[in-house]
Amino acid sequence: MCNPVAYAAFTIGSQVIQYQNDKAAAKDTNNRSSIAAEGMRKEAIYSDNALIRKQSIKTDQLSLDKYNVKLKADQKKGEVNLGLFEKGLAGNVFGSLLGDISRQQGTAFNTIDINYENFVRGMADERLATNRKYGNQINNLPRAYEPSFLGYAIKAGAQIAGSYAFAPS
């Protein structure tokens, strides 16, 4: 067996090097995870903005649908007014026809509103699912804790003590 003093110096040196290598590996793992997480955060923001734009487009589309329904209803009311005026009719028939047109307009508005509410709920669920997906991916990235030198010092001390215990006197 070699000199116990040289062995002690070698053991301490090797544990210091091992500690530094483990610390550098942990730092590298954390840096890679941090870079990946930043990319995922940007992608999550992009996805969320895309869903917000999709909702905005749908809102505009449904507003246009409501506007078109109102235009058609006003046009029908005008045609009924003109037709009945030309024929000289009035009273219950006139009120009944205008009421029927208003009822159809209200039914169309309700359908559009219900579709919009369902769409908004679906978009909220989709946004939540997308955000959870990215959050879970970020949370599942590998993380490494920097080692404590105490463990390496104890290991070196145990090896040195063992070498002195079994060293010939």
Side-chain angles (χ1 to χ4, degrees), residues 80-103:
V80 166
N81 281 337
L82 183 62
L84 292 177
F85 178 73
E86 287 176 349
K87 293 181 181 180
L89 298 174
N92 288 341
V93 173
F94 180 73
S96 177
L97 288 174
L98 290 180
D100 192 39
I101 292 169
S102 294
R103 183 187 54 77

Side-chain angles (χ1 to χ4, degrees), residues 2-117:
C2 68
N3 181 354
V5 175
Y7 181 74
F10 174 75
T11 301
I12 291 171
S14 68
Q15 289 303 312
V16 167
I17 291 171
Q18 184 65 42
Y19 166 74
Q20 289 172 342
N21 289 340
D22 291 348
K23 186 176 177 180
K27 194 172 193 177
D28 183 55
T29 299
N30 290 338
N31 285 341
R32 278 188 275 116
S33 293
S34 178
I35 291 168
E38 185 62 31
M40 287 179 197
R41 280 187 205 96
K42 288 179 181 177
E43 193 174 330
I45 290 169
Y46 177 78
S47 296
D48 197 45
N49 287 341
L51 292 172
I52 290 170
R53 279 193 304 277
K54 184 177 177 182
Q55 183 173 350
S56 176
I57 289 169
K58 185 70 170 181
T59 301
D60 293 344
Q61 187 181 37
L62 292 175
S63 294
L64 180 63
D65 289 348
K66 273 185 141 178
Y67 179 73
N68 288 336
V69 166
K70 181 167 178 18
L71 281 180
K72 285 181 182 177
D74 289 345
Q75 184 180 7
K76 285 181 183 178
K77 284 180 184 178
E79 290 172 0
V80 166
N81 281 337
L82 183 62
L84 292 177
F85 178 73
E86 287 176 349
K87 293 181 181 180
L89 298 174
N92 288 341
V93 173
F94 180 73
S96 177
L97 288 174
L98 290 180
D100 192 39
I101 292 169
S102 294
R103 183 187 54 77
Q104 289 174 358
Q105 178 185 3
T107 302
F109 277 6
N110 285 341
T111 302
I112 291 170
D113 289 342
I114 289 170
N115 288 341
Y116 178 70
E117 288 172 9

Side-chain angles (χ1 to χ4, degrees), residues 55 59 115-125:
Q55 183 173 350
T59 301
N115 288 341
Y116 178 70
E117 288 172 9
N118 290 337
F119 176 78
V120 168
R121 282 190 195 107
M123 288 301 296
D125 290 344

